[in-house]
Amino acid sequence: MEVCYQLPVLPLDRPVPKHVLSRRGAISFSSSSSLFGGPDPRKLSQRRGGISYDSSDQTALYIRMLDVRIRSRVGFEPEPRSSHPYLLVDFRLLHYRPGRAGPVSARGVRRLLSFQRYRHPSRSACRQPNRSQLCVLDQDYAGQAKCMLERAGSWSFDIFLFDRLTNGNSLVTLTAHLFNHYGLIELFQLDMVKLHRFLVMIQEDYRRQNPYHNAVHAADVTQAMYCYLQEPKLVSSLTSFDILLGLLAAATHDLDHPGVNQPFLVKTQHYLAALYQNSSVLENHHWRSAVGLLRQSGLLDHLPAEDRQSLERRLGSLILATDINRQNEYLSQFRSHLDRGDLNLENSAHRHLILQMALKCADICNPCRPWELSKQWSERVTQEFFQQGDVEKKHNLEVSPFCDSQSNTIADIQTGFMSYVVEPLFSEWARFSNTQLSRAMLRHLDLNKAHWTDEMDPKTHPQGNQGS
Ligand SMILES: [Zn+2]
């Protein structure tokens, strides 16, 4: 939602910082902003937004509301975005017409698509007035979060703590920091207000009710991506465009994830499965959602059309590479290059492959983190699997692999995942990268696997284990 105001009664009462004065630009404010010298600043106490101004005389031109979480006195409402599978899955269809499980008709897809931007009750519930979220962060917390950002390239970075210190804004804060760190705002002449608005929209389009696939996971993947972008081979070869793309892909790679997997969407005849013909359904949706937000924010509107198209295309190619079902395809391509020793990072196609592999690693790096972090992620992902399994049982659907809380445990899910998915990928990455970080990741992987194996051992745990 974007609302523009003329500003006869809202003079800026502090100078605009010099670094943003260099161009006609904008600044963002939070609910506590001291920028307003108006008679009743409380009127703005529940909003966030930004001010665009004329750089020559600092006259404010208009305010944009960015993230209005509650209905305010002047009647703003949050703009509901995105869909939810439980809203759109017609379980009656499954129960009463079992013989007609074919794809939904084109008309059905159109009808369902029209619901895509409808409000979902559980999401609205998340947006009920929650004053604690609107309160100004304690200065100590803000200070600690800032301190943590100085170590944003550390492999033991605690994203859960960072998320708490930023009041649930880890994705926005971290991504904005990295854009600043790489000078992408200056390089690509990005409008600060549009960038902030875009990042807030991304964060909001992740679903808080998902135990795993939420904005904290996206922030974690973005942080891991940053660690990989710091690796010597990448530092010396990647262009700014590659870095912009890598960060965008990491931040958006699971956008609007419904908290269930592709087989669930297929068997419940969800419109997304029909739309993407049962192939990389989620990844296609994440990509399209990301492109939608990019265009909606207007962040790149000033770039030449061919650059925007190229970025959108490459963003899709990166996000689609995170489809775990296609891991072997990417891995064998990567392995062949390593065997032949012919990776040439001056070649843009090769750099793109490396970015794909880096994003794949970042996406499933949880088992390669220090145990305390890794364990939390394992618990969260298992919780999400079991929630899906419970819904499947409730509706007499076949329970998907790893989703049955009666027959699976965190330990057996994790050891299988580590052995068959994570280890092969990170071994090849270590062959390519061969740095302290790549070796540390393999070391953590070994230790974490030993932890879970130990939990599965009937001698050490005679009662057996149940996932949370
Ligand atoms: Zn992911």
Side-chain angles (χ1 to χ4, degrees):
M1 179 176 202
E2 183 170 299
V3 179
C4 298
Y5 285 104
Q6 296 302 316
L7 278 177
V9 293
L10 290 170
L12 299 179
D13 69 353
R14 84 173 188 209
V16 175
K18 274 196 180 137
H19 67 279
V20 282
L21 264 182
S22 56
R23 62 190 170 91
R24 189 189 182 97
I27 43 180
S28 62
F29 63 84
S30 67
S31 53
S32 69
S33 181
S34 58
L35 286 169
F36 299 99
D40 188 4
R42 280 174 303 162
K43 281 188 179 167
L44 294 156
S45 65
Q46 292 170 346
R47 304 180 204 163
R48 294 184 206 169
I51 304 168
S52 292
Y53 54 87
D54 188 290
S55 61
S56 54
D57 59 9
Q58 297 187 29
T59 303
L61 300 177
Y62 54 87
I63 297 178
R64 299 172 203 186
M65 303 314 298
L66 301 176
D67 180 27
V68 184
R69 286 165 189 260
I70 65 173
R71 194 181 183 87
S72 69
R73 289 176 218 167
V74 286
F76 295 118
E77 278 196 310
E79 181 187 9
R81 287 192 301 273
S82 77
S83 56
H84 192 282
Y86 304 143
L87 180 69
L88 300 180
V89 171
D90 188 346
F91 285 107
R92 287 166 307 174
L93 185 78
L94 292 165
H95 294 315
Y96 298 129
R97 298 164 64 196
R100 302 178 62 184
V104 296
S105 66
R107 187 177 164 209
V109 171
R110 277 199 300 277
R111 183 176 60 78
L112 288 165
L113 271 174
S114 69
F115 280 81
Q116 189 178 359
R117 297 273 158 185
Y118 265 40
R119 178 193 301 275
H120 180 260
S122 68
R123 300 201 72 199
S124 303
C126 289
R127 292 162 189 256
Q128 288 302 306
N130 179 352
R131 292 194 173 271
S132 69
Q133 287 181 342
L134 297 166
C135 288
V136 188
L137 280 179
D138 185 295
Q139 285 303 311
D140 282 351
Y141 286 0
Q144 287 177 53
K146 210 173 163 191
C147 266
M148 281 192 79
L149 282 176
E150 285 167 18
R151 294 178 290 106
S154 159
W155 191 243
S156 55
F157 189 86
D158 186 342
I159 197 73
F160 300 112
L161 173 61
F162 185 67
D163 195 60
R164 288 195 294 277
L165 292 173
T166 55
N167 208 21
N169 290 300
S170 52
L171 184 57
V172 171
T173 315
L174 177 68
T175 314
H177 167 78
L178 295 177
F179 268 61
N180 259 318
H181 169 78
Y182 281 114
L184 299 175
I185 296 162
E186 290 295 317
L187 275 167
F188 292 96
Q189 292 288 293
L190 302 179
D191 181 306
M192 292 283 279
V193 169
K194 286 180 180 173
L195 174 63
H196 186 72
R197 182 170 186 256
F198 172 64
L199 296 178
V200 169
M201 286 197 295
I202 291 176
Q203 187 174 270
E204 289 287 303
D205 264 15
Y206 280 97
R207 301 175 184 198
R208 283 169 226 190
Q209 68 267 37
N210 289 349
Y212 183 85
H213 287 105
N214 51 41
V216 187
H217 166 64
D220 185 54
V221 172
T222 306
Q223 193 272 334
M225 190 64 167
Y226 173 55
C227 292
Y228 302 150
L229 294 177
Q230 298 291 92
E231 291 286 68
K233 279 189 183 173
L234 281 78
V235 167
S236 59
S237 60
L238 293 185
T239 65
S240 297
F241 194 70
D242 294 330
I243 290 167
L244 174 72
L245 196 65
L247 294 176
L248 282 178
T252 60
H253 82 283
D254 272 333
L255 203 57
D256 195 33
H257 196 294
V260 291
N261 60 16
Q262 173 172 306
F264 182 95
L265 297 178
V266 171
K267 66 185 158 195
T268 54
Q269 300 173 49
H270 193 275
Y271 77 90
L272 288 175
L275 181 63
Y276 298 117
Q277 301 175 329
N278 299 345
S279 170
S280 297
V281 173
L282 286 168
E283 292 74 19
N284 269 301
H285 179 57
H286 305 321
W287 168 34
R288 297 298 180 183
S289 300
V291 168
L293 292 191
L294 258 179
R295 292 183 184 180
Q296 193 180 336
S297 69
L299 180 66
L300 305 177
D301 281 358
H302 59 293
L303 297 181
E306 58 269 29
D307 287 356
R308 285 200 309 270
Q309 282 159 10
S310 160
L311 185 133
E312 289 178 2
R313 210 173 34 247
R314 287 187 67 192
L315 187 64
S317 168
L318 288 181
I319 293 176
L320 287 172
T322 63
D323 183 350
I324 215 83
N325 297 312
R326 294 179 62 194
Q327 163 133 325
N328 283 342
E329 208 179 297
Y330 290 96
L331 199 51
S332 50
Q333 196 188 345
F334 189 43
R335 191 177 283 135
S336 304
H337 278 299
L338 294 175
D339 289 345
R340 293 195 300 265
D342 66 355
L343 273 175
N344 170 15
L345 296 184
E346 307 232 316
N347 175 326
S348 64
H350 288 191
R351 285 201 310 276
H352 187 74
L353 174 65
I354 296 305
L355 277 181
Q356 286 176 317
M357 299 313 293
L359 181 61
K360 286 177 66 55
C361 287
D363 192 24
I364 60 168
C365 73
N366 302 153
C368 303
R369 295 279 194 179
W371 171 247
E372 285 310 320
L373 297 172
S374 178
K375 181 167 172 276
Q376 291 185 65
W377 287 119
S378 303
E379 289 165 351
R380 283 163 179 255
V381 78
T382 312
Q383 191 188 345
E384 194 167 298
F385 287 168
F386 289 175
Q387 277 182 9
Q388 177 182 325
D390 291 345
V391 174
E392 289 168 334
K393 283 179 196 169
K394 188 176 164 193
H395 294 282
N396 298 321
L397 298 167
E398 190 188 343
V399 179
S400 302
F402 315 118
C403 294
D404 190 342
S405 57
Q406 302 296 313
S407 54
N408 294 115
T409 64
I410 299 187
D412 68 44
I413 295 171
Q414 284 302 309
T415 46
F417 179 59
M418 288 173 169
S419 303
Y420 300 112
V421 182
V422 182
E423 229 162 57
L425 178 63
F426 281 82
S427 305
E428 295 304 330
W429 180 259
R431 264 179 85 197
F432 161 73
S433 181
N434 193 23
T435 58
Q436 209 178 341
L437 173 61
S438 63
R439 290 188 288 275
M441 291 194 295
L442 286 176
R443 226 174 19 252
H444 285 304
L445 180 63
D446 271 352
L447 289 170
N448 295 337
K449 196 172 159 187
H451 266 292
W452 291 122
T453 308
D454 182 48
E455 286 227 4
M456 286 199 304
D457 187 349
K459 286 180 209 146
T460 43
H461 295 270
Q463 304 296 315
N465 296 287
Q466 283 300 311
S468 62

